[in-house]
Amino acid sequence: MPDAGQTVLYAVERGVARITLHRPERLNASNGELSRGLTEAFSAAAADPDVRVVLLSGAGRAFCSGADMQVLNELSDDPAMPNSGSASLRYDGLMHLAKPVVAAVHGACAGMGLALACSADVRIAAEDAFFIAPFARLGLCAEGGLAWLLPRLIGTGNAADLLLSARRMEAPEALAKGLVSQVLPNESFAEAAFAYAAIMAQNALASLAAIKAQLHDAEAQNFEQARAHSADLARATLAHPDFAEAMTARREKREPLFSPVKTAFAPPVSQA
């Protein structure tokens, strides 16, 4: 992988790319260096045929506390200046990455950190995790696509509550409202998150990519369109070598050896 510096750590194990935000002294607050490191790490995971799943987490006491105050102070002094914190990172690239992304959230998940977590396919939380969208308190709009993401994850009313109140949502409430799919004990959280991602990584990447595409494409489809799309995908997956390998492995009572795949990390280019 290209050098991401110490702001982002990257390691691959058992088909899982472990990408760790690593500014613990700043509660992993987002700045340009961290954004560039994430772009490099996501790109490396996408292109690595040994990677099937991405596990995103934060070092230290938090997942990500949002934008670094230095970046916000710069923009406050000159709102017209380029955002030095974004470094052209597009979180929606995670949604279009063919490989599943699991966000393992502990401690603070705020602002742009919340947008990053919501762009993942699955969110799991430690007992001490909490979620804040502080934009209204800062005199800002909902950034990072959160006004689109949150209603689809927790419903329009719950999204309005979180965005307009700028209040803190604890892990049990996040689980009850569907923002996260699991809440796990703090003591074993890192190990449990990796174990979950490693189980997912045992599946066929072609299937993971197809299912992920179905889930995202369904947002713009009615049922008949989604059914027709799934029929086309079914024909493609039936013809894929991974299906034949899965059936052969079942007959031979062994683990399947699915095909490695290289993909890309980039959001689609607008055709407008």
Side-chain angles (χ1 to χ4, degrees):
M1 187 192 112
D3 183 17
Q6 291 302 303
T7 60
V8 175
L9 304 181
Y10 182 92
V12 178
E13 182 182 355
R14 292 168 56 190
V16 178
R18 304 178 78 154
I19 298 176
T20 307
L21 283 64
H22 193 249
R23 299 187 72 214
E25 74 287 351
R26 302 287 294 171
L27 297 181
N28 301 316
S30 178
N31 65 358
E33 188 178 6
L34 185 138
S35 294
R36 285 188 290 272
L38 283 174
T39 296
E40 292 181 12
F42 293 144
S43 298
D48 188 343
D50 292 329
V51 171
R52 297 175 180 273
V53 175
V54 173
L55 178 63
L56 184 62
S57 62
R61 296 185 292 114
F63 177 75
C64 176
S65 60
D68 193 289
M69 287 305 298
Q70 180 180 347
V71 174
L72 295 179
N73 286 331
E74 290 173 357
L75 292 170
S76 175
D77 291 338
D78 182 4
M81 73 179 299
N83 185 344
S84 65
S86 66
S88 300
L89 174 64
R90 292 276 301 272
Y91 292 164
D92 57 333
L94 294 182
M95 294 187 281
H96 300 282
L97 177 64
K99 302 174 182 182
V101 180
V102 178
V105 178
H106 76 290
C109 181
M112 300 311 292
L114 178 58
L116 179 61
C118 288
S119 296
D121 299 295
V122 179
R123 285 153 299 285
I124 57 179
E127 292 171 328
D128 68 352
F130 60 92
F131 304 84
I132 303 176
F135 306 104
R137 199 176 303 146
L138 296 170
L140 299 171
C141 69
E143 297 187 10
L146 277 171
W148 188 93
L149 288 163
L150 278 172
R152 287 160 172 78
L153 295 174
I154 61 176
T156 301
N158 288 328
D161 166 35
L162 193 59
L163 290 168
L164 297 175
S165 70
R167 69 178 180 85
R168 172 169 165 156
M169 178 183 285
E170 305 288 348
E173 183 182 1
L175 177 63
K177 291 183 174 175
L179 184 58
V180 302
S181 59
Q182 299 181 63
V183 174
L184 303 171
N186 295 331
E187 297 76 16
S188 57
F189 181 65
E191 295 81 3
F194 176 75
Y196 173 79
I199 290 172
M200 188 182 295
Q202 295 174 10
N203 297 324
L205 185 53
S207 293
L208 295 176
I211 293 168
K212 179 168 176 172
Q214 286 177 286
L215 289 169
H216 286 292
D217 291 347
E219 293 289 350
Q221 296 170 334
N222 60 35
F223 177 77
E224 280 305 312
Q225 291 170 327
R227 186 199 59 77
H229 184 210
S230 67
D232 292 338
L233 283 173
R235 285 188 288 271
T237 52
L238 283 169
H240 195 280
D242 281 349
F243 175 64
E245 167 61 14
M247 298 308 294
T248 300
R250 278 177 172 268
R251 288 192 295 269
E252 296 176 355
K253 295 182 172 54
R254 60 171 174 81
E255 291 297 317
L257 300 173
F258 292 124
S259 308
V261 178
K262 294 174 68 173
T263 63
F265 171 65
V269 177
S270 173
Q271 300 299 314

